[in-house]
Amino acid sequence: MLAGLSRRLLDAALANGADQAEVSCSEDSGLNVSVRMGEVETVESTRDRSIAVTVYFDGRKGSASTADLREESLATTVDQACAIARHTERDPAAGLADAELMATDLREFDSWHPWDIQADEAIDLALACEQAGRDADPRLENSDGASASSGSTVSVYANSHGFVGRERGTHHSLGCALIAGRGEQMQRDGWYDIALAAEDLEPASAIGRKAAERAISRLAPRQVPTGAYPVLFSAEVARGLIGHLLGAVSGGALYRRASFLLDSVGTQVFPEWFALHEQPFLQRGFRSSSFDAEGVATRESALVEGGVLQRYVLGSYSARRLGLQTTANAGGVHNLQVASNAGDLPAMLAGMGTGLLVTQLMGQGVNTITGDYSRGAGGFWIQDGQIQYPVDGITIAGNLKDMFAAIEAVGSDVDHRSHIRTGSILVGRMTVAGEG
């Protein structure tokens, strides 16, 4: 249905005088439940639809959207997009991606696994997750609750080059957050899992116990003396470092001259052993796709090889602004794998010797123009390769360019809950502001 609708809208846009047009349609449905302290808090069932039309009149762009499938509403949406385009300034970089770049090998990547779970079953699952955590230790007297969710998306992207791409995917999650201790000594932590197929989720009891273990481990935190130390980012926060890299090499930041990595393609940004690859064709990958948001064929490629930045992350608009060609990244990257050169977390701790293991980050203290980095942090002090005690109320600081160059190891303890797949990352030295 969505494909036929898209074609009708494209025909209408071209009949209205547009020289190019594109349509994005999606239908989403989902179930979300949350519980706290053994009681149901929310049950939400959702069903959403979105239809967006974009037209181009010789470089002048207009967009309009609707969720109404009535013919008069669809006609009005096309008319509004065309009216907007006629009143905008011409932009030489605007327009569809080049026709010869459209994907022709359209595949699925085992991403469609609907979960026939009813609200009462989802509630029971969330309750079991929370209860397993609360039962794990008597010091867990409170809870921030547990949640279970299941959703599906069906989407179509079509444009006036004749490209029509269909995608469908499911996503399921289960998580729990617990509070240990009392009064000013309370500490909160949790755990969750997310997967495209329900059978790939960790058992509810295991998630609850992991949440309990993490909350208890944070009790009686201390500070550390201010100084410069090795900092090991656990896998679940390490992907944030890769996210900062992506922000700095994305087309929008580059053509606005708002990146600390301007003119960095072909230069050494990381150590020589460091590699980062985009893998859009992974089975059950969170961002697997044959085409990007403009219909351009995706491809496996290196973003970083031998520590050298190989390319930027571009859609067709930013590529034209920069005098380059799209890298098939309109809408974002499609599964990034950071190569590991070390063992699991215990091995990483042993290799670090003494320093800070960061498991939580707070605040937004990252300047993508200068690369300056300053974040509130919590985690554990490590001595002789062993966890000594939890720490919080500290700040870690550096410059991302220096931090990338100072990465000493990437662990094999990959966190699979994201399209950015990385293990823990050891940065050789950062400023840690704590006591004194």
Side-chain angles (χ1 to χ4, degrees), residues 139-142 178-189 214-223 390 392:
R139 291 171 290 179
L140 293 162
E141 299 183 23
N142 205 343
L178 299 170
I179 299 171
R182 295 182 178 181
E184 295 182 359
Q185 302 304 312
M186 288 193 300
Q187 293 290 329
R188 177 193 180 279
D189 212 327
R214 289 171 64 90
I216 291 296
S217 71
R218 299 194 58 78
L219 285 172
R222 310 182 205 173
Q223 287 196 336
D392 68 3

Side-chain angles (χ1 to χ4, degrees), residues 75-321:
T76 299
T77 302
V78 173
D79 290 343
Q80 288 175 338
C82 293
I84 292 169
R86 291 188 179 101
H87 289 88
T88 58
E89 292 294 324
R90 184 177 184 276
D91 185 342
L96 301 179
D98 296 344
E100 64 270 18
L101 300 177
M102 296 295 103
T104 55
D105 181 15
L106 303 181
R107 293 175 272 166
E108 290 199 358
F109 300 97
D110 196 24
S111 60
W112 183 251
H113 297 274
W115 190 7
D116 185 21
I117 186 171
Q118 302 303 307
D120 55 350
E121 297 172 299
I123 289 168
D124 289 344
L125 200 60
L127 289 170
C129 181
E130 183 188 48
Q131 195 62 51
R134 293 177 62 200
D135 289 345
D137 193 292
R139 291 171 290 179
L140 293 162
E141 299 183 23
N142 205 343
S143 168
D144 252 359
S147 62
S149 71
S150 175
S152 64
T153 301
V154 177
S155 63
V156 168
Y157 170 80
N159 63 38
S160 54
H161 290 323
F163 177 84
V164 179
R166 303 168 179 84
E167 291 188 303
R168 60 179 187 168
T170 52
H171 48 89
H172 316 294
S173 67
L174 183 60
C176 179
L178 299 170
I179 299 171
R182 295 182 178 181
E184 295 182 359
Q185 302 304 312
M186 288 193 300
Q187 293 290 329
R188 177 193 180 279
D189 212 327
W191 194 247
Y192 73 95
D193 198 14
I194 183 169
L196 303 186
E199 62 264 27
D200 291 340
L201 289 172
E202 292 182 44
S205 57
I207 292 173
R209 288 193 295 268
K210 184 69 173 287
E213 175 188 316
R214 289 171 64 90
I216 291 296
S217 71
R218 299 194 58 78
L219 285 172
R222 310 182 205 173
Q223 287 196 336
V224 295
T226 295
Y229 306 105
V231 173
L232 177 62
F233 293 82
S234 64
E236 63 266 27
V237 296
R239 62 173 175 259
L241 295 178
I242 307 303
H244 297 317
L245 169 70
L246 294 176
V249 300
S250 68
L254 294 166
Y255 74 72
R256 294 184 180 95
R257 310 293 292 177
S259 168
F260 67 96
L261 289 177
L262 290 172
D263 305 317
S264 291
V265 166
T267 66
Q268 192 84 33
V269 177
F270 294 89
E272 291 184 356
W273 53 266
F274 191 92
L276 178 58
H277 291 91
E278 185 172 15
Q279 300 176 323
F281 308 134
L282 288 178
Q283 293 297 301
R284 294 200 188 182
F286 284 108
R287 292 276 184 88
S288 296
S289 181
S290 298
F291 57 92
D292 73 354
E294 298 177 313
V296 175
T298 55
R299 56 189 180 273
E300 293 189 356
S301 65
L303 185 60
V304 178
E305 192 72 71
V308 175
L309 182 65
Q310 302 294 309
R311 61 176 175 86
Y312 296 129
V313 175
L314 308 174
S316 61
Y317 180 82
S318 59
R320 289 169 186 149
R321 289 289 300 265

Side-chain angles (χ1 to χ4, degrees), residues 40 45 70 116 148 153 160 180 243 359 434:
V40 178
S45 179
R70 290 178 301 169
D116 185 21
T153 301
S160 54
T359 59

Side-chain angles (χ1 to χ4, degrees), residues 303-350:
L303 185 60
V304 178
E305 192 72 71
V308 175
L309 182 65
Q310 302 294 309
R311 61 176 175 86
Y312 296 129
V313 175
L314 308 174
S316 61
Y317 180 82
S318 59
R320 289 169 186 149
R321 289 289 300 265
L322 293 165
L324 301 170
Q325 189 176 75
T326 176
T327 59
N329 291 121
V333 294
H334 303 89
N335 304 322
L336 288 180
Q337 181 70 52
V338 183
S340 169
N341 72 333
D344 58 10
L345 183 60
M348 293 281 283
L349 295 176

